């Protein structure tokens, strides 16, 4: 089986178009698609997609678009003859329509939305992609091996009592339910920080300004998470921020949070004495 997150009728002969944002996540996805023997096409976002990824794809099978050029992106999907599309890597919603000149299609979507946030913007883009007859895949597809798994992932017991873990999970899920963020930092039943618009790293730095013994960073997904374009990622940068902030434990929702470059992250966590636990 290529991936547990592919549709049952997935046709491995049809190209998958990767819409690639920033960071290493799209590169891991591209490599996994190629390793599975599935044809790859690339839609790179200007000033976002890693040059290493862009140049790894033949010129005839890639295109670079401005973040506001939704019409051009949809045209490329059609021209590529792709059967599927997959989104990987961050492109901040404000970058799609602020500080850029959106094309007509992007402007139409923007002005049709009563609420403009990541979920509504990317949800509208997903609908446009599927109008072309493509299936927009779960963003975890092909990278099953890089997901958090249940239990101690770094080989050592979580240095936090179960009741404090349960408290952290409860707070994180409530924050996610209210669409504020998807993580929090707790200590002995007290909430030190919650994730909001500033992102995970800034939340971790704020939490590090308090007493950090027995603190726990918890990362979850929303109850009705749309995994086609919104998957939480825990990577080396987050791990490094935890170390700088003096936070020594993280609990990640298993099967749902991506641990990007999982072998490297787990090895580094062990070296730094940071406990990673999947629930």
């Amino acid at each position: 089986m290529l991936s547990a997150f592919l549709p049952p009728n997935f046709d491995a002969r049809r190209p998958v178009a990767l819409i690639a944002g920033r960071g290493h996540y799209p590169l891991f996805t591209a490599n996994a698609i190629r390793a599975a023997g599935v044809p790859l096409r690339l839609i790179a976002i200007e000033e976002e997609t890693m040059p290493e990824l862009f140049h790894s794809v033949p010129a005839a099978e890639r295109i670079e678009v401005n973040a506001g050029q939704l019409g051009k992106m949809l045209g490329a999907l059609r021209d590529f003859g792709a059967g599927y599309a997959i989104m990987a890597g961050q492109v901040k919603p404000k970058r799609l329509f602020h500080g850029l000149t959106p094309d007509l299609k992007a402007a139409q979507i923007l002005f049709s939305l009563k609420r403009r946030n990541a979920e509504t913007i990317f949800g509208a883009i997903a609908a446009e992609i599927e109008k072309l007859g493509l299936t927009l895949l779960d963003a975890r597809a092909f990278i099953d091996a890089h997901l958090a798994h249940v239990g101690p992932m770094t080989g050592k017991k979580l240095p936090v009592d179960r009741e404090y873990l349960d408290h952290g999970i409860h707070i994180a899920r409530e924050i996610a339910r209210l669409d504020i963020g998807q993580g929090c930092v707790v200590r002995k039943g007290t909430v030190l920080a919650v994730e909001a618009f500033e992102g995970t790293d800034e939340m971790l730095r704020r939490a590090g300004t308090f007493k950090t013994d027995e603190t726990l960073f918890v990362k979850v997904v929303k109850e009705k998470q749309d995994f086609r374009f919104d998957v939480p990622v825990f990577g080396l940068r987050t791990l490094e921020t935890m170390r700088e902030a003096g936070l020594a434990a993280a609990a990640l929702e298993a099967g749902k949070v991506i641990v990007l470059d999982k072998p490297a992250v787990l090895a580094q966590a062990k070296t730094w004495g940071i406990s990673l636990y999947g629930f």
Side-chain angles (χ1 to χ4, degrees), residues 23 44 68 152 235 243:
R243 183 189 184 214

Side-chain angles (χ1 to χ4, degrees), residues 66 68-69 96-103:
N66 183 286
Q69 293 178 312
L96 289 169
F97 299 113
H98 297 282
L100 297 170
T101 303
D103 64 14

Side-chain angles (χ1 to χ4, degrees), residues 136-158:
L136 185 59
L137 298 175
D138 187 312
R140 297 169 293 176
F142 301 102
I143 57 170
D144 305 47
H146 292 276
L147 292 170
H149 64 265
V150 174
M153 291 187 282
T154 48
K156 58 189 292 187
K157 183 181 177 182
L158 188 69

Side-chain angles (χ1 to χ4, degrees), residues 195-238:
E195 182 186 55
F197 187 74
E198 82 280 22
T200 300
D201 288 350
E202 287 304 313
M203 176 197 66
L204 295 174
R205 292 187 185 104
R206 272 192 292 117
T209 64
F210 302 102
K211 193 172 183 180
T212 58
D213 65 303
E214 296 188 64
T215 52
L216 177 66
F217 166 40
V218 182
K219 190 80 168 178
V220 301
V221 300
K222 291 179 282 192
E223 184 178 356
K224 295 181 179 179
Q225 190 90 16
D226 193 331
F227 286 100
R228 297 176 303 168
F229 53 78
D230 187 15
V231 185
V233 174
F234 183 102
L236 285 167
R237 188 181 71 181
T238 306

Side-chain angles (χ1 to χ4, degrees), residues 97-272:
F97 299 113
H98 297 282
L100 297 170
T101 303
D103 64 14
L104 181 60
K105 176 58 74 173
Q108 286 174 340
I109 284 181
L110 177 64
F111 292 123
S112 71
L113 298 175
K114 293 181 180 179
R115 296 177 62 191
R116 298 170 189 171
N117 56 34
E119 189 169 1
T120 60
I121 291 172
F122 288 113
I125 292 172
E128 292 295 329
I129 290 171
E130 296 199 328
K131 282 180 185 178
L132 297 175
L134 283 79
T135 298
L136 185 59
L137 298 175
D138 187 312
R140 297 169 293 176
F142 301 102
I143 57 170
D144 305 47
H146 292 276
L147 292 170
H149 64 265
V150 174
M153 291 187 282
T154 48
K156 58 189 292 187
K157 183 181 177 182
L158 188 69
V160 175
D161 288 347
R162 181 72 210 194
E163 65 177 303
Y164 299 140
L165 169 61
D166 290 342
H167 171 250
I169 293 170
H170 171 71
I171 295 299
R173 285 186 169 151
E174 284 298 294
I175 292 299
R177 182 181 65 81
L178 294 169
D179 203 21
I180 295 171
Q182 293 176 288
C184 67
V185 178
V186 296
R187 177 180 181 268
K188 298 181 179 180
T190 298
V191 179
L192 299 186
V194 298
E195 182 186 55
F197 187 74
E198 82 280 22
T200 300
D201 288 350
E202 287 304 313
M203 176 197 66
L204 295 174
R205 292 187 185 104
R206 272 192 292 117
T209 64
F210 302 102
K211 193 172 183 180
T212 58
D213 65 303
E214 296 188 64
T215 52
L216 177 66
F217 166 40
V218 182
K219 190 80 168 178
V220 301
V221 300
K222 291 179 282 192
E223 184 178 356
K224 295 181 179 179
Q225 190 90 16
D226 193 331
F227 286 100
R228 297 176 303 168
F229 53 78
D230 187 15
V231 185
V233 174
F234 183 102
L236 285 167
R237 188 181 71 181
T238 306
L239 190 70
E240 186 172 350
T241 304
M242 284 185 64
R243 183 189 184 214
E244 292 169 355
L247 309 178
L252 313 175
E253 191 162 1
K256 297 178 180 178
V257 175
I258 296 170
V259 182
L260 195 61
D261 196 358
K262 190 175 180 181
V265 168
L266 298 187
Q268 190 64 72
K270 290 177 184 178
T271 299
W272 287 343

